[in-house]
């Protein structure tokens, strides 16, 4: 059995949580390999809606073991709150059902304070981070001064590490940003408490994943954020600080190439983004409200982690093709097709135009999209509500045409479409 990967093809929020939820019914391990509690994965089961930030969404299935890989940065406070939330909903979370990599890095209050201070200092060039301390935690990791989960196993040494980490961060906070310093002892007390609770969850998850694959078990890697937020391949600098793309699975879980199976890209039927940065197909005003929703439903386009209204726009075929290439996608899942019902026409961007020239693909990655103007194709829309549709033949002809066009533009097949937030609101193609 292989290692299957689920990847967002856009700027996150593509509806990956629901796809993970579906596929993890058959998975033995479901693993997060990047990001931290900046992620927000929403899964609706009957009347219950779960919003998960750090624990893999697949844990909702009783047979799947959740793995938090070494590529993740962990906020222990929100992790423990999430564990409690799941337990309150009768989902067992103990050290047998959730395993955390010894090599994953910790996020601390100092990282969050630095994230806020850096954003303030950027002024008009703010990235619009989630404020969760993600950038500073990965900065410490790359600078070889981060604190890893395994350090929690020796509490007296861990205490000293936390204290000196906060003291160092205070020098930058106070000296460079004129921000308030943190009390090292208070943070150390808090984190030593987490260490006691999380002790039993910490293990070598790379060995766990490898052992499962060797035994013929199936592993699902659950990407957080999306391709265009990748630190190397996204709309830099308006990106997150990790590699949410498929290649990031290997270092983020500590596995080699040999076991990779399906690489499933999840794309919304339109496009959305939170935070700042380029967005060529963005729409504003009433058209945006129509795609975004009003926020009255949990699946409307408002950030799961921050509650911010998402920017929305038409599906960008150029960026979708790019995501197919960067991730080596084998197939696509299109989510939220139901949201487009009732539109007289739907638009899809098939190319970019700049200086009188047309580009089918990005000439130099997505970092600077400012010179480009989208070239749109308009397709007839459809009136019927799709939320009850369960088969291809029940989709209105214009909706079928739209999906076929997405497959043509991306160059890979669409294997599934979602038409509502519930588990059963999917059409298998
Ligand atoms: P950070 O990851 O908090 O540093 O934020 C960097 C950028 O990534 C910002 O534009 C965030 O809005 C965006 N971002 C981070 N995580 C997510 C996510 O899970 N979904 C969508 N956008 C995200």
């Amino acid at each position: 059995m292989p290692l299957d990967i689920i990847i967002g093809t856009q700027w996150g929020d593509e509806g990956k949580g629901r796809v993970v939820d579906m596929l993890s019914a058959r998975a033995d391990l479901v693993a997060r390999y990047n990001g931290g509690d900046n992620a927000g994965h929403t899964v609706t089961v009957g009347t219950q809606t779960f919003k998960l930030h750090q624990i893999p969404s697949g844990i909702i299935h009783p047979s799947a073991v959740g793995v938090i890989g070494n590529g993740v940065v962990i906020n222990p406070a929100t992790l423990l709150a999430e564990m409690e939330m799941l337990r309150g909903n009768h989902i067992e979370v103990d050290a047998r059902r959730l395993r955390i990599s010894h090599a994953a890095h910790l996020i601390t209050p100092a990282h969050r304070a630095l994230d806020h201070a850096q954003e303030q200092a950027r002024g008009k060039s703010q990235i619009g981070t989630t404020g969760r301390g993600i950038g500073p935690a990965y900065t410490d990791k790359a600078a070889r001064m981060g604190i890893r989960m395994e350090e929690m196993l020796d509490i007296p040494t861990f205490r000293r590490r936390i204290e000196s980490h906060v003291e160092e961060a205070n020098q930058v906070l106070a000296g460079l940003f004129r921000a308030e310093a943190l009390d090292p002892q208070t943070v150390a007390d808090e984190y030593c408490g987490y260490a006691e609770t999380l002790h039993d969850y910490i293990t070598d998850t790379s060995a766990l994943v490898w052992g499962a694959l060797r035994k013929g078990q199936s592993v699902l890697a659950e990407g957080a954020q999306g391709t265009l937020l990748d630190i190397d391949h996204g709309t830099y600098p308006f990106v997150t600080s990790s590699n949410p793309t498929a290649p990031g699975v290997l270092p983020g879980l500590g596995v080699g190439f040999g076991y990779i199976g399906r690489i499933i890209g999840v794309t919304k039927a339109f496009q959305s983004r939170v935070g700042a940065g380029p967005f060529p197909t963005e729409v504003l005003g009433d058209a945006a409200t129509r795609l975004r929703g009003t926020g009255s439903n949990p699946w409307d386009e408002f950030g799961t982690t921050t509650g911010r209204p998402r920017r929305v726009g038409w599906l960008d075929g150029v960026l979708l093709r790019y995501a197919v290439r960067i991730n080596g996608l084998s197939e696509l899942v299109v989510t939220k097709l139901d949201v487009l019902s009732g539109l007289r026409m739907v638009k899809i961007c098939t190319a970019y135009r700049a200086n009188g020239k047309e580009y089918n693909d990005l000439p130099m990655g997505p970092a600077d999209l400012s010179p480009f103007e989208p070239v749109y194709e308009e397709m007839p829309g459809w009136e019927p509500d799709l939320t009850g549709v369960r088969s291809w033949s029940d989709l209105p002809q214009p909706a079928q045409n739209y999906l076929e066009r997405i497959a043509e533009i991306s160059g890979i097949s669409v294997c599934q479409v979602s038409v509502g937030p519930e588990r059963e609101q999917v059409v298998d193609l």
Side-chain angles (χ1 to χ4, degrees):
M1 292 283 257
L3 169 63
D4 291 332
I5 304 174
I6 295 181
I7 295 292
T9 62
Q10 305 176 330
W11 286 287
D13 309 312
E14 298 89 353
K16 296 178 292 296
R18 61 164 310 131
V19 182
V20 172
D21 175 55
M22 258 181 294
L23 293 182
S24 48
R26 299 192 297 267
D28 296 291
L29 300 182
V30 185
R32 275 278 305 270
Y33 61 89
N34 80 295
D37 63 342
N38 51 348
H41 293 165
T42 307
V43 181
T44 303
V45 186
T47 53
Q48 285 178 302
T49 294
F50 298 97
K51 288 179 188 275
L52 293 160
H53 301 280
Q54 289 179 105
I55 298 181
S57 351
I59 203 157
I60 292 170
H61 287 276
S63 57
V65 170
V67 172
I68 301 184
N70 58 276
V72 175
V73 283
I74 297 176
N75 174 344
T78 55
L79 176 66
L80 290 171
E82 216 167 305
M83 286 156 89
E84 277 313 305
M85 180 278 288
L86 288 169
R87 289 187 190 118
N89 284 287
H90 312 293
I91 292 165
E92 207 180 313
V93 188
D94 57 24
R96 278 166 304 153
R97 289 219 59 217
L98 180 67
R99 311 299 287 141
I100 303 173
S101 170
H102 67 290
H105 281 244
L106 276 164
I107 305 173
T108 70
H111 291 136
R112 283 191 294 281
L114 285 166
D115 193 357
H116 285 291
Q118 288 165 355
E119 273 288 80
Q120 291 288 314
R122 285 184 190 113
K124 285 202 182 110
S125 326
Q126 281 190 3
I127 291 168
T129 72
T130 59
R132 296 293 192 268
I134 304 297
Y138 279 114
T139 302
D140 277 359
K141 174 178 174 174
R144 295 158 293 183
M145 50 197 272
I147 305 171
R148 309 204 315 175
M149 290 301 288
E150 63 195 346
E151 298 185 55
M152 284 184 153
L153 301 176
D154 172 1
I155 291 188
T157 314
F158 179 63
R159 171 178 288 281
R160 287 194 294 278
R161 275 282 278 142
I162 292 282
E163 283 172 358
S164 61
H165 155 75
V166 175
E167 281 158 11
E168 274 174 38
N170 278 345
Q171 289 183 19
V172 181
L173 283 167
L176 194 62
F177 295 112
R178 309 263 173 265
E180 216 172 294
L182 299 162
D183 178 31
Q185 260 157 24
T186 309
V187 180
D189 286 347
E190 184 188 335
Y191 272 60
C192 288
Y194 300 143
E196 278 171 23
T197 316
L198 291 173
H199 186 278
D200 293 344
Y201 293 79
I202 300 168
T203 191
D204 183 345
T205 52
S206 159
L208 178 75
V209 169
W210 189 71
L213 290 166
R214 295 263 296 175
K215 273 193 283 187
Q217 295 187 330
S218 69
V219 180
L220 192 62
E222 171 179 346
Q225 291 88 43
T227 303
L228 302 170
L229 288 174
D230 187 282
I231 186 145
D232 291 293
H233 303 292
T235 47
Y236 193 89
F238 300 98
V239 292
T240 191
S241 300
S242 67
N243 290 112
T245 44
V249 172
L250 306 183
L253 280 186
V255 290
F257 298 91
Y259 291 97
I260 307 295
R262 299 164 74 190
I263 307 179
I264 304 163
V266 184
T267 177
K268 243 184 274 208
F270 49 98
Q271 202 91 11
S272 75
R273 142 162 242 178
V274 268
F279 187 167
T281 60
E282 183 169 18
V283 297
L284 303 168
D286 289 348
T289 311
R290 171 66 186 70
L291 291 175
R292 182 183 301 120
T294 56
S296 55
N297 293 313
W299 50 90
D300 283 349
E301 297 295 336
F302 290 78
T304 314
T305 301
T306 56
R308 290 179 287 181
R310 294 181 189 140
R311 299 158 66 195
V312 289
W314 299 111
L315 186 64
D316 190 323
V318 178
L319 295 179
L320 184 58
R321 268 195 300 270
Y322 176 73
V324 172
R325 164 159 74 85
I326 291 294
N327 295 295
L329 297 180
S330 56
E331 60 218 270
L332 275 181
V333 174
V334 176
T335 57
K336 289 199 152 190
L337 187 66
D338 54 300
V339 172
L340 301 184
S341 284
L343 293 172
R344 198 178 46 78
M345 53 95 199
V346 284
K347 285 193 188 183
I348 184 164
C349 163
T350 54
Y352 287 161
R353 190 179 295 120
N355 305 321
K357 256 178 83 180
E358 221 166 84
Y359 298 86
N360 287 324
D361 291 301
L362 295 166
M364 214 188 318
D368 184 11
L369 296 177
S370 60
F372 300 111
E373 202 188 301
V375 177
Y376 286 113
E377 194 171 294
E378 290 193 3
M379 301 182 71
W382 56 91
E383 204 47 51
D385 172 18
L386 302 186
T387 53
V389 171
R390 298 290 177 272
S391 71
W392 172 256
S393 55
D394 288 339
L395 282 170
Q397 187 63 49
Q400 291 183 354
N401 295 345
Y402 185 61
L403 292 171
E404 277 170 352
R405 193 70 187 109
I406 292 175
E408 253 168 44
I409 287 170
S410 62
I412 54 173
S413 59
V414 177
C415 65
Q416 208 166 47
V417 180
S418 83
V419 289
E422 297 285 343
R423 268 184 179 162
E424 69 276 11
Q425 288 181 298
V426 290
V427 180
D428 282 312
L429 308 183

